[in-house]
Amino acid sequence: MAKGYWISTGTIHTPLAMVPYISRLTEWLPTVGAKFLVRDVQCDVREGSPGSLNVIIEFPSLESAVSAYESTDYQSLIELRTPHSDLTLSISEELVA
């Protein structure tokens, strides 16, 4: 089964205010079978203007990535994040050759 991914880019405006979100997200991810693959707050942007943050989180499947995003738990975490950042989040499926 192909894995699912959350891919997020953007800008954090108040880094210290993001600590509660990051702490709770880090604790929550293993409970939904997910893990960080990339977490870079000062990425080397060569084209475009996606911001300096890149995060990729891996899930066991696309369905689990969607389910985790739509969960009540994660929806409450969004409320901790949005006042302090401008981020995009896309859900993608692994390319299986």
Side-chain angles (χ1 to χ4, degrees), residues 73-92:
D73 289 337
Y74 188 69
Q75 292 302 306
S76 69
L77 291 179
I78 291 172
E79 295 172 13
L80 294 175
R81 173 177 53 82
T82 54
H84 311 291
S85 63
D86 290 315
L87 301 178
T88 64
L89 190 148
S90 302
I91 300 175
S92 298

Side-chain angles (χ1 to χ4, degrees), residues 10-24 39-42 52-53 80-87:
T11 302
I12 295 175
H13 301 295
T14 47
L16 289 178
M18 289 287 286
V19 170
Y21 168 77
I22 294 165
S23 296
R24 288 186 50 197
R39 185 170 44 182
D40 186 354
V41 296
Q42 296 181 347
S52 61
L53 174 75
L80 294 175
R81 173 177 53 82
T82 54
H84 311 291
S85 63
D86 290 315
L87 301 178

